[in-house]
Amino acid sequence: MTGGLMREVPVLVVGGALTGLSAAVFLGVHGVPSLVLERRDDILAHPRLRGLLPRAVEVYRQAGLERAILDRCPTATPRELVSVSARTLAEEHRPLSEVTAGEPTDARSPCAFAPIAQDELEHLLVDRARSLGARVLFGVELVALAQDADWVTARVRSRCGAEDTVRARYAIAADGASSGVRRALGIASRGPGTLFRMATMHVRADLSPALRGRRIGMAYLGEPAPGTTLGPLDDSGEHWFFGTARPDRCDADPAAWVRAATGLPDLDVELLEQVPGSGTKVFTFPIGARLARDYGRGRVFLAGDAAHLMPPTGGLGGLTAVEDAHNLAWKLALVLRGAAGPRLAATYEAERRPVAERATAQALARARVTWRLPDLDTEPAADIDSLVFGNRYTSTAVPGSTGSTPVPPFPAGTPGTRAPHVYVDSDDDTGLSTLDLYGTDPVLLVGSAGDRWATAVHRAAGLLDVAVEVYHLDPDVAEQHNLGPRGALLVRPDGYCAWYARDVDGDPDRVAEDVLRALLDRDPHGSPFPQRLHQQA
Ligand SMILES: Cc1cc2nc3c(=O)[nH]c(=O)nc-3n(C[C@H](O)[C@H](O)[C@H](O)COP(=O)(O)OP(=O)(O)OC[C@H]3O[C@@H](n4cnc5c(N)ncnc54)[C@H](O)[C@@H]3O)c2cc1C
């Protein structure tokens, strides 16, 4: 193992599944090499997450992965891949779906829901991460972690028992719901914990007699027990994901449970291995909700399920995990490059933890209905769009924050919210969105008469030795960002609005410099957050 192992890396990522691999990809986009350690010998060939909400597709689009993701999705239209509830698969289906049955998302996003399976996605992520300079090692686990003011030091062990030491400037713990790193850091979690355990299987069977031409994305079934789920794994009509909330009762004869769920008593059922070569056909995992009290310590950050566990209802767990990695990557990149101070990385927790708290509450609200858990005390389910597109960050990395005024589902330029999507040229068919402007450096959008802001931000960027791209918007595009002719909007590399000016007011050079210093934690005197920034918003 030691022969090929880097001993010193900018970022060490513990866990090579959805979150860890996404982090390696996003760090790679920013030119930061990482080392990913994955305990398993390979990607888990197990049907887990079954689709990406549009915002997750947007961030993978920034990393050049959207086309590859769409190529690996079933060919059915989103409308055909509707989630339904029914007593058995053969009986009447009642539509349940929010996103998958929705109208095309064109107006709000260039991306739609992508029904890709997690193992397919992880294969793409490994390839992309490696092509961007990451080292992804399977069969290697973290056994101990320590840190001082400058370094994280990790003891790692390969499958053959060989041990080695790796030093990194930062570490991302993407080691899943039972995160050993979280426990080693002494970080407690709160929440209801495990609600029940779910058993899942990969089934090969011809379900066409039950479907009779109907297509589904996922079916939530009442038989043989509430909490039964069934959905297609590919386009063939032969491969199915089967899940049950009663592993204790299903264990004795899993095939009989599949027959009862489909309503086809004579069905031929074959259970396939979930980890090739392992003989494992039934996997169980916890359905529950838990949120880490802190998102890390010092140079170590928790991300994905290591930080937050939530029921899969609504697909919010995957989105939250992917956006965690996306939020952290650009911040670490700027800090490692010396372009930003360390407090920029610390804004990760201030921004992402409230999002996970909200997503967890909403996943629970959906779990209550989907799995008929009346005793679960939840808030009412909110509109899914507000969860996908309507988050608002409040931190020092949002210098123009205007506090906690309500956020509309599709905020247009409000500091702390995702910058809106507008097709750049509605007459051509390039499909270029304003979202395609974001990804690496901060971007300043200005109105048609916004030269003064452009000059001021160029000057400030030069002073701080950072790159900021400037774009002048056509009036109709500017309008959809709530931007007047003399206005300006600063957008961060993750596509979230940092600061907004309605007009040219006061001393733009001074304001632009203050804004960049605050965003990048580059205030030379360590003085409190500059109050005058608010006057511009
Ligand atoms: C069996 C199962 C079924 C699921 N089904 C669904 C579903 O139907 N729908 C849904 O939305 N979500 C589902 N989920 C949840 C979804 O898969 C997770 O939200 C998502 O995988 C989170 O990704 P993650 O990378 O944060 O954590 P994980 O996927 O848990 O990955 C953590 C990785 O870290 C590795 N690791 C742990 N410790 C170490 C160490 N010390 N050294 C090296 N590597 C380490 C693990 O081997 C693992 O690969 C399921 C999860 C599981 C486990």
Side-chain angles (χ1 to χ4, degrees), residues 14-20 37-40 46-49 118 140-142 174-177 241 283 285 303-305 312:
V14 185
L18 180 69
T19 307
L37 305 178
E38 171 50 53
R39 167 186 283 159
R40 292 195 179 102
H46 169 80
R48 288 162 289 159
L49 183 137
Q118 189 165 336
V140 181
E141 67 174 345
L142 175 90
D175 52 345
F241 157 90
F283 236 89
F285 67 98
D305 279 17

Side-chain angles (χ1 to χ4, degrees), residues 77 100 113 153 166 214 266 418 452 508 536:
T77 64
T100 52
F113 176 82
T153 306
V166 180
R214 298 172 295 181
D266 301 320
R418 162 190 168 276
R452 184 65 189 92
Q536 295 295 326

Side-chain angles (χ1 to χ4, degrees), residues 434-515:
T434 47
L435 300 193
D436 298 323
L437 303 175
Y438 317 131
T440 44
D441 298 316
V443 166
L444 184 77
L445 305 176
V446 294
S448 54
D451 283 345
R452 184 65 189 92
W453 281 120
T455 308
V457 167
H458 272 312
R459 179 194 155 277
L463 205 67
L464 299 177
D465 196 20
V466 293
V468 177
E469 292 175 44
V470 178
Y471 294 92
H472 287 75
L473 299 186
D474 290 342
D476 55 330
V477 179
E479 193 184 324
Q480 293 180 69
H481 289 74
N482 262 331
L483 212 53
R486 285 153 53 92
L489 175 65
L490 185 69
V491 183
R492 314 186 319 182
D494 58 357
Y496 275 74
C497 302
W499 166 85
Y500 175 81
R502 223 181 290 285
D503 206 337
V504 178
D505 203 6
D507 178 353
D509 288 341
R510 182 85 185 268
V511 171
E513 187 183 331
D514 283 348
V515 165

Side-chain angles (χ1 to χ4, degrees), residues 49 53 72 77 115 124 140 212 271 293 309 331 407 409 426 441 446 457 506 532:
L49 183 137
L53 290 165
R72 298 229 181 176
T77 64
L124 291 178
V140 181
R212 300 186 301 282
L271 300 184
R293 211 184 49 207
L309 175 68
K331 294 175 179 175
V407 186
S426 52
D441 298 316
V446 294
V457 167
R532 62 178 171 276

Side-chain angles (χ1 to χ4, degrees), residues 234-315:
D234 60 17
D235 274 336
S236 71
E238 261 188 50
H239 292 270
W240 301 88
F241 157 90
F242 179 81
T244 167
R246 296 305 307 263
D248 50 327
R249 288 177 51 202
C250 149
D251 245 12
D253 189 354
W257 272 58
V258 177
R259 289 187 196 101
T262 56
L264 302 173
D266 301 320
L267 183 71
D268 280 335
V269 176
E270 185 186 355
L271 300 184
L272 302 180
E273 280 187 345
Q274 304 219 16
V275 180
S278 69
T280 306
K281 294 182 177 172
V282 180
F283 236 89
T284 65
F285 67 98
I287 297 283
R290 208 170 43 222
L291 182 63
R293 211 184 49 207
D294 308 309
Y295 265 32
R297 294 263 190 274
R299 294 178 166 270
V300 183
F301 298 91
L302 306 181
D305 279 17
H308 44 73
L309 175 68
M310 62 189 83
T313 31

